[in-house]
Amino acid sequence: MRLILRNNVLRLAVIAVAGLAGGAAASLVFSPVPSKATDSVAGEVTNFFSVYDGLNSKGIETYVNNGYPAQNIYAMDGMVRLQQGLYTQGAEAGLPMVAFWDNGGSMRMLFRLAGGNQSPVIVMKDRTGRDRVVFGLNLNDPAEEPFMALFDKTGAKKTLFGSY
């Protein structure tokens, strides 16, 4: 009986040492991605987390602004390309949005929930930031019929179908 117990303890010790050695070796092989976190920005309490590497100094920022979370994803040139989060103000406060930015720094497309119905809407913008195509489900009519509106370069609206 003593011999069996001794062999079991010896096996357990070998497994523990092998596990610790494997963990140490893995930590040397797989180096962690640099990150930074802060508890305050300009005296304002906030939650902020950033993940980046040697090729992309901004990478991904995740933060909470006035209780509403958001995330910015940057290209290697340091400009935001994808933004997602929850609106922080007005009637849309708490509703989600996803914004797509081009290489020139202009928001080109916005996917969001909006209006009294919290309806899905896609907004396509030109390089100057003007809405050019807007489509989705009616923002306020309970039937939520689809709509599509086009805007010319002067901002004049032409509704193709539905109500917007």
Side-chain angles (χ1 to χ4, degrees), residues 86-159:
L86 304 180
Y87 279 101
T88 62
Q89 299 176 353
E92 278 89 17
L95 293 179
M97 60 74 95
V98 178
F100 299 86
W101 301 71
D102 67 14
N103 288 334
S106 298
M107 182 192 300
R108 299 303 301 271
M109 190 166 60
L110 180 64
F111 182 47
R112 64 183 288 192
L113 297 183
N117 289 334
Q118 301 179 14
S119 298
V121 178
I122 296 176
V123 180
M124 295 181 186
K125 299 174 171 284
D126 64 17
R127 284 187 182 91
T128 65
R130 291 180 299 203
D131 293 357
R132 297 302 297 266
V133 178
V134 180
F135 62 98
L137 300 181
N138 189 289
L139 304 179
N140 297 305
D141 181 8
E144 291 190 282
E145 289 298 316
F147 71 88
M148 179 177 248
L150 305 177
F151 297 84
D152 67 18
K153 61 184 174 185
T154 67
K157 177 173 77 170
K158 178 181 179 183
T159 305

Side-chain angles (χ1 to χ4, degrees), residues 16-35:
V17 169
L20 289 172
S27 70
L28 293 173
V29 173
F30 303 110
S31 61
V33 174
S35 65

Side-chain angles (χ1 to χ4, degrees), residues 5-48:
L5 182 62
R6 188 174 186 190
N7 284 340
N8 286 339
V9 170
L10 185 58
R11 284 183 188 147
L12 182 61
V14 169
I15 290 170
V17 169
L20 289 172
S27 70
L28 293 173
V29 173
F30 303 110
S31 61
V33 174
S35 65
K36 65 180 180 180
T38 182
D39 290 331
S40 66
V41 174
E44 177 181 310
V45 176
T46 181
N47 292 317
F48 179 88

